[in-house]
Amino acid sequence: MSLQRVAIFGATSAIAQAVARQLAAKGVRLHLVGRDPAKLEAVRADIAARGSAGVSVTLADLDETARHAALVEEAEQSLGGAMDAALIAQGTLPDQVACEHDFALAEREILTNFVAPASLATHLANRFAPRGTGRIVAISSVAGDRGRASNYVYGSAKGGLSIFLSGLRARLNATGVGVVTVKPGFVDTPMTAAFKKGLLWAAPEKIAKGIVSAMEHGGAEVYLPWFWWPIMFAIRHLPEAIFVRLKI
């Protein structure tokens, strides 16, 4: 698919910014949605200077799912036509221990990491399906492949999103609309600044390259970097009696 018009929801994350830069360098027209006005303006100015055919923005809190239909409509109006692809990149990394003691926090994280992306994907699917074209690319996580004690709130939200996207992909299979689930591993971003880094960590730019490729060429599930596929295959198939004893 030759990309000309792309919308990015959750455009101020480090991965989303890297995707926007790579698309801008290809001359793609972009519409960016984010909730932090200063960060969104900084991203817009950066993208405008990198060769994009045009860049527009909408300020919005994507946890407000009642706005999603209007945000998708506004994205296409701003882009000047039907979007070729949309990236759903919103997400937060919760404090697992805090969520264990306050379910209100866990509920909020599940809204941000599962309910809101699923809502956006639904509105995009219903717009793309009648015209039989378009690609929905959403960022899930390897954390969603199996529940771990250290991050099961985040993991369960991402796991729910992965299953939702799998079903949406099957629903849209005959329409010509693509749905790609992106599963990054450890990514060195401000969200993970407190974590000790190692060999398995990747830069946002490397993840973005895989996402842009998924936008252009499609697919079903994409592990980024690729080596997370065999790692998660092994983790998914560990016997439960062994898995629950691991400190991971």
Side-chain angles (χ1 to χ4, degrees):
M1 174 186 288
S2 176
L3 299 173
Q4 297 183 19
R5 302 182 184 90
V6 172
I8 300 179
F9 298 90
T12 59
S13 75
I15 294 175
Q17 289 180 56
V19 170
R21 287 173 184 150
Q22 293 181 22
L23 291 173
K26 293 173 177 280
V28 177
R29 185 177 181 88
L30 293 163
H31 183 71
L32 311 175
V33 183
R35 66 180 175 185
D36 186 310
K39 288 183 179 178
L40 192 60
E41 172 53 27
V43 175
R44 186 207 63 77
D46 179 51
I47 297 308
R50 291 177 181 267
S52 172
V55 56
S56 52
V57 299
T58 296
L59 191 63
D61 182 347
L62 293 174
D63 283 354
E64 298 174 0
T65 58
R67 291 190 62 187
H68 287 182
L71 290 174
V72 172
E73 172 70 28
E74 184 176 342
E76 293 212 320
Q77 288 182 356
S78 298
L79 289 167
M83 66 182 90
D84 302 303
L87 173 64
I88 302 172
Q90 70 189 94
T92 53
L93 188 61
D95 182 328
Q96 171 66 31
V97 175
C99 289
E100 291 171 9
H101 292 88
D102 183 352
F103 187 73
L105 295 176
E107 185 177 31
R108 188 176 68 195
E109 297 298 338
I110 291 169
L111 168 64
T112 300
N113 289 296
F114 171 40
V115 177
S119 170
L120 271 172
T122 298
H123 287 290
L124 289 163
N126 292 343
R127 177 164 289 259
F128 290 176
R131 58 189 184 223
T133 186
R135 192 161 284 149
I136 301 166
V137 179
I139 300 178
S140 182
S141 171
V142 298
D145 277 17
R146 192 165 187 180
R148 293 185 287 130
S150 61
N151 73 343
Y152 66 82
V153 172
Y154 177 74
S156 63
K158 290 298 190 181
L161 178 60
S162 294
I163 293 172
F164 185 93
L165 295 170
S166 175
L168 185 63
R169 183 161 47 249
R171 171 195 151 194
L172 297 175
N173 181 56
T175 69
V177 178
V179 179
V180 184
T181 306
V182 176
K183 295 183 175 182
F186 301 136
V187 187
D188 189 1
T189 69
M191 196 163 70
T192 59
F195 289 69
K196 184 179 180 180
K197 309 303 188 295
L199 292 175
L200 295 178
W201 287 74
E205 292 75 16
K206 186 169 186 175
I207 305 303
K209 186 176 180 181
I211 291 174
V212 171
S213 178
M215 283 185 171
E216 293 175 327
H217 305 295
E221 291 188 335
V222 180
Y223 286 83
L224 296 174
W226 67 269
F227 55 73
W228 281 101
W229 185 89
I231 291 173
M232 297 315 299
F233 180 88
I235 289 177
R236 288 196 306 273
H237 290 83
L238 275 175
E240 186 72 6
I242 297 174
F243 184 75
V244 295
R245 298 176 185 173
L246 300 178
K247 303 297 182 184
I248 59 175

